[in-house]
Amino acid sequence: MPEPISRRQFHQQLATGAATIALTPTILVADDKPAVLGGPKAVTIDRPRWPITEQNDVDAVERVLRSGDWYRYTGGESPVDVFEKQWAAALNVPYCQATSSGTSALITSLAALGIGPGDEVLVPPYTFIATVNAVLLHHALPVFVDTDPATAQIDHGQIEARINENTRCVMPVHLGGASCDIEQVLAIAQRKNLFVVEDSCQTHTGEWNGKRLGTFGDAGCYSFQNSKNLTCGEGGALVTSNEKLYHRAQSYQDNGGGRPKHDGGYTGNGANLRLPNFQGALLQHQLARLEAQSKLREANALYLRQHFDDIGGIRAKKLLPGTTRHGYHLFIFEFHPEFFAGLNKQKFTAALRAEGIPVSGGYSATNKMDWAKRLVTNRHFRRIYGDTRLKQWQAENTLPNNDRMLKTTCWFVQDLLLGDRTLMDQIADAVRKIKRHAGAIVKSS
Ligand SMILES: *Cc1c(COP(=O)(O)O)cnc(C)c1O
């Protein structure tokens, strides 16, 4: 097990780039051939499995099953109620509303802020499509702000240029678990009178200057989907410090019912986006392990960052100076073909997979997908926004920095970072091996 690293050490190490953990030197084996060229795999040990279940998870789910109280509002304090309190306490916010997914949390937040047809919402393109879908579902217009390729986060310097009289909200994503420049986003939002909804679906422990991500905006949204660092298979939550917003959210996720007052009135604005008690019970136990797991991921990630710096031509994304803790849902890095004999990203990721390392080439351009082409001819959107605005939207939907970044950006998913130090060394060995033989891999197909 790697030594845990304190937050201060983490920040200092990142700031100075000082390699304070000794890297295990590579031992060159006789058969140094990359697996993609027929050599042995670099990874020889088992990778961690995700999600992690223990007996208390099984017991908790069984208790709900046997109680017959599967739905959260069957009376008394339910497992979902308990989890909401625990999550709010963990984040140090007054209110938490559980939802059926991270997507539902985003939809509920926008609804609670009154976002609707005719409103424009600023979003980054380098994100999971749910960020965009939540906006579209309200018949609001998602307006893209280009990415800062060094960090993979929204480029706050380009936000103002996209604001017009219909802009109501900015929805930054803390991509991969690292923070966007939330301070700058908040300052612009305040100046321009915009709401801020943080898509924190990829960060459960990330912090900006010691404060948890997702607690800065009007609302912060989390996902507990199977792959996420805190999971119950499917689930989500929003947090807020605004009591009115919380009550509107509570009503919205319960079909616009009279919650919290149970007065029987329906607002006509809502859906069933409730989290069941099975998930609430499971989350309580998963949450108890979140800290220890996160510390392990952080230590491994820091170690891997140093390995990559040592290798050259491959580098973890830069963190913004306010980042005091990284949530590490993704370990996002840049791969530069010119340091690998011109090997392209596709062949590089294929070679890494052959070594036994799951790696993703990352998101494709959300803003260029089919939905974006269809939006300008959609009869509802045409009626709401008019052809002039939609044509302008289409013309402005060019994001050169994001396009450029896609060519060099890759990631590992969080569960890989739950492995031991040997696994991190084997990942680094695989990259070194591929680099040494990059010329041969380029010629091989
Ligand atoms: C996972 C994710 C979502 C959606 O969460 P679900 O629980 O899958 O609905 C939204 N935004 C981002 C950035 C995500 O990673």
Side-chain angles (χ1 to χ4, degrees):
M1 286 277 154
E3 291 279 306
I5 289 161
S6 82
R7 217 177 297 160
R8 174 184 289 193
Q9 279 174 307
F10 167 75
H11 196 46
Q12 276 172 352
Q13 282 164 2
L14 283 171
T16 59
T20 48
I21 315 171
L23 300 176
T24 310
T26 314
I27 299 154
L28 281 178
V29 289
D31 192 355
D32 176 49
K33 215 189 271 176
V36 76
L37 298 179
K41 285 186 181 190
V43 173
T44 59
I45 56 175
D46 283 343
R47 288 199 314 266
R49 290 187 51 182
W50 184 264
I52 293 166
T53 25
E54 290 175 13
Q55 190 56 42
N56 57 8
D57 299 287
V58 177
D59 295 343
V61 173
E62 189 183 326
R63 260 198 305 279
V64 174
L65 188 65
R66 294 196 186 282
S67 76
D69 295 336
W70 300 353
Y71 148 80
R72 68 169 296 182
Y73 295 126
T74 43
E77 190 174 61
S78 70
V80 176
D81 294 328
V82 173
F83 170 72
E84 284 173 339
K85 283 185 187 152
Q86 289 177 343
W87 190 230
L91 299 170
N92 199 20
V93 279
Y95 308 108
C96 169
Q97 176 62 54
T99 55
S100 56
S101 69
T103 310
S104 324
L106 294 170
I107 292 167
T108 304
S109 298
L110 293 177
L113 290 167
I115 305 293
D119 294 337
E120 301 194 5
V121 179
L122 304 179
V123 292
Y126 199 70
T127 183
F128 180 54
I129 194 67
T131 315
V132 178
N133 282 347
V135 178
L136 291 171
L137 199 80
H138 288 297
H139 285 90
L141 191 65
V143 173
F144 290 102
V145 178
D146 209 350
T147 308
D148 173 2
T151 60
Q153 308 294 337
I154 191 167
D155 183 351
H156 61 84
Q158 300 203 42
I159 292 178
E160 291 213 46
R162 301 281 167 149
I163 297 174
N164 64 33
E165 69 279 10
N166 295 321
T167 311
R168 296 277 313 281
C169 182
V170 50
M171 203 153 81
V173 179
H174 300 297
L175 199 84
S179 187
C180 69
D181 197 324
I182 190 65
E183 230 165 81
Q184 291 291 337
V185 171
L186 287 173
I188 297 163
Q190 207 156 41
R191 209 161 53 237
K192 299 288 179 174
N193 202 21
L194 306 178
F195 294 123
V196 176
V197 173
E198 295 172 81
D199 181 339
S200 307
C201 287
Q202 296 187 1
T203 189
H204 301 80
T205 51
E207 292 178 4
W208 177 269
N209 288 329
K211 188 167 142 76
R212 293 285 271 269
L213 300 177
T215 66
F216 288 86
D218 295 280
C221 300
Y222 302 86
S223 166
F224 309 127
Q225 185 269 341
N226 226 79
S227 68
K228 302 293 160 78
N229 299 30
L230 174 59
T231 184
C232 59
E234 294 280 13
L238 66 91
V239 300
T240 182
S241 301
N242 179 331
E243 189 182 11
K244 274 206 187 103
L245 192 150
Y246 166 62
H247 286 160
R248 281 198 292 266
Q250 201 172 38
S251 170
Y252 187 85
Q253 58 88 49
D254 192 28
N255 258 317
R259 293 185 194 286
K261 290 207 183 81
H262 300 272
D263 59 6
Y266 286 95
T267 62
N269 184 25
N272 175 1
L273 306 174
R274 297 183 300 254
L275 188 74
N277 277 340
F278 297 104
Q279 273 90 336
L282 193 50
L283 280 168
Q284 290 174 33
H285 296 286
Q286 297 285 327
L287 177 57
R289 297 176 210 130
L290 177 66
E291 261 310 304
Q293 289 168 349
S294 299
K295 288 206 170 89
L296 176 59
R297 288 186 195 102
E298 287 159 49
N300 275 330
L302 195 56
Y303 184 67
L304 204 53
R305 290 180 90 96
Q306 292 175 187
H307 257 309
F308 279 15
D309 286 346
D310 186 57
I311 294 167
I314 186 164
R315 189 175 54 193
K317 287 287 180 191
K318 209 180 99 187
L319 300 181
L320 290 159
T323 309
T324 44
R325 196 173 182 196
H326 192 314
Y328 282 114
H329 175 59
L330 304 172
F331 182 94
I332 310 182
F333 61 93
E334 300 168 4
F335 160 76
H336 293 285
E338 60 275 28
F339 291 84
F340 286 73
L343 188 70
N344 67 26
K345 186 173 101 173
Q346 228 161 356
K347 281 193 174 174
F348 170 72
T349 50
L352 259 188
R353 281 184 210 113
E355 300 290 346
I357 301 161
V359 59
S360 165
Y363 294 124
S364 47
T366 347
N367 62 313
K368 288 183 169 170
M369 290 173 180
D370 273 356
W371 71 265
K373 290 172 202 130
R374 284 200 300 268
L375 188 79
V376 293
T377 57
N378 176 285
R379 86 188 152 88
H380 305 293
F381 278 84
R382 286 182 66 194
R383 201 184 294 157
I384 298 163
Y385 298 94
D387 287 336
T388 311
R389 176 63 187 120
L390 291 179
K391 290 239 166 65
Q392 183 194 21
W393 177 85
Q394 194 170 37
E396 286 174 358
N397 192 7
T398 53
L399 307 166
N401 291 342
N402 191 61
D403 291 346
R404 193 158 49 79
M405 189 187 77
L406 295 179
K407 295 193 185 119
T408 57
T409 300
C410 310
W411 71 53
F412 300 133
V413 180
Q414 54 93 6
D415 48 338
L416 199 66
L417 298 174
L418 292 175
D420 60 16
R421 187 60 64 79
T422 308
L423 182 62
M424 302 306 116
D425 287 328
Q426 292 189 342
I427 293 168
D429 286 351
V431 176
R432 287 195 174 90
K433 193 160 71 157
I434 292 166
K435 194 177 182 188
R436 279 195 296 277
H437 296 270
I441 300 172
V442 170
K443 282 192 213 114
S444 72
S445 51

